[in-house]
Amino acid sequence: MEVAIVTVGDELLAGETANTNATWLARQLTERGATVTRSLTIPDERALIADSVGEWADAFDAVIVTGGLGDTPDDVTLDAVADAFGREMVVQPAVRERVAEKARQFRAENPERYEKHDFDLNLDETAALPEGARPLQTETSFNPGCVVENVYVFPGFPEELRVMFESVADDFGGDAVSESVPTVTPEGALKDVLAGVRERFDVAVGSYPVHGDSAGRVKVTGTDESEVADAAAWVRERVERPE
């Protein structure tokens, strides 16, 4: 299963917020046997988001989009995903009621904030999703996410993203397996090993360099478990191991 990740947010590109979501998602997907083939960070620009999602939805088995699901003018991700599929934004009654209930709950739990601030909440705008979308709503998130064909749209807040991803985690899987070989061999001295394992085995291979006192590693990935094991053993015989 080939998956692409799109993280949306001006604050990510400005370096104001660390893009921990992309790293976390890539790890989760890889552990489930999927292959993350692309990862892209783009600004809160509706046309650019729509173009990227539309192109990658055709190219990959699944696309995960995170960020831009709030109620401010720069939160345009859901509209952009609707554009990518040529769909209108519609309000599903059950989604609207869930949003309304979350709003009532928040007000009951935070009466002082409601007295101090003027909350301008439009339930229809908050609940609107691309036509035909499968809604994703959790206890931790106020704004709904959704699934449109093979595109999964999650919030940008890490805690909300992780809970929502877990609700559909079984959708992601694959046959990829991997094995890592720890090594203190400098990356610059691994060229022949990396080339050799690619030539001899039907696997992909990557190197992660030594950092300070920490060992590096050579990671071998493929769809045949025995092939991966043989390739890792071949690498293990040709690199310097940590003591």
Side-chain angles (χ1 to χ4, degrees):
M1 185 177 190
E2 294 190 342
V3 183
I5 298 172
V6 180
T7 49
V8 177
D10 295 340
E11 70 282 0
L12 299 174
L13 293 167
E16 296 173 357
T17 301
N19 193 355
T20 57
N21 286 342
T23 302
W24 186 86
L25 283 167
R27 186 181 302 115
Q28 297 299 311
L29 293 163
T30 301
E31 288 177 355
R32 286 168 170 77
T35 301
V36 178
T37 310
R38 297 287 189 280
S39 184
L40 175 70
T41 302
I42 55 180
D44 297 290
E45 295 180 11
R46 181 168 172 172
L48 180 58
I49 299 168
D51 289 344
S52 301
V53 169
E55 178 183 350
W56 283 8
D58 288 336
F60 304 107
D61 298 311
V63 180
I64 294 178
V65 186
T66 75
L69 301 194
D71 298 304
T72 58
D74 62 338
D75 291 319
V76 296
T77 297
L78 286 171
D79 295 286
V81 171
D83 293 344
F85 289 99
R87 302 188 184 191
E88 299 293 326
M89 294 289 286
V90 300
V91 178
Q92 299 180 27
V95 175
R96 188 184 189 281
E97 177 53 34
R98 181 71 178 273
V99 170
E101 177 56 33
K102 294 286 286 186
R104 289 191 291 267
Q105 180 181 346
F106 179 82
R107 182 167 188 166
E109 295 173 352
N110 301 273
E112 318 82 21
R113 296 185 67 180
Y114 263 85
E115 290 179 6
K116 184 177 180 180
H117 301 284
D118 181 20
F119 286 89
D120 183 18
L121 176 63
N122 184 316
L123 291 177
D124 286 339
E125 288 184 0
T126 302
L129 296 173
E131 186 176 10
R134 169 162 54 112
L136 300 176
Q137 293 177 282
T138 71
E139 287 301 318
T140 61
S141 59
F142 181 75
N143 294 85
C146 66
V147 183
V148 185
E149 296 190 12
N150 63 335
V151 175
Y152 294 72
V153 187
F154 299 137
F157 291 109
E159 180 184 356
E160 297 181 9
L161 161 72
R162 295 177 185 191
V163 173
M164 195 171 288
F165 174 81
E166 291 298 336
S167 73
V168 293
D170 289 344
D171 291 0
F172 300 93
D175 300 324
V177 294
S178 62
E179 186 171 340
S180 292
V181 179
T183 178
V184 293
T185 302
E187 189 176 37
L190 288 173
K191 181 179 178 180
D192 290 343
V193 173
L194 299 178
V197 74
R198 289 191 187 99
E199 291 172 359
R200 291 167 174 78
F201 303 93
D202 184 19
V203 296
V205 62
S207 64
Y208 301 82
V210 175
H211 286 291
D213 296 331
S214 300
R217 59 193 173 99
V218 175
K219 182 178 179 181
V220 180
T221 303
T223 56
D224 185 311
E225 188 172 355
S226 62
E227 184 86 351
V228 169
D230 290 345
W234 188 89
V235 170
R236 201 172 287 112
E237 294 174 356
R238 289 162 176 80
V239 299
E240 184 181 358
R241 306 290 303 284
E243 294 181 359

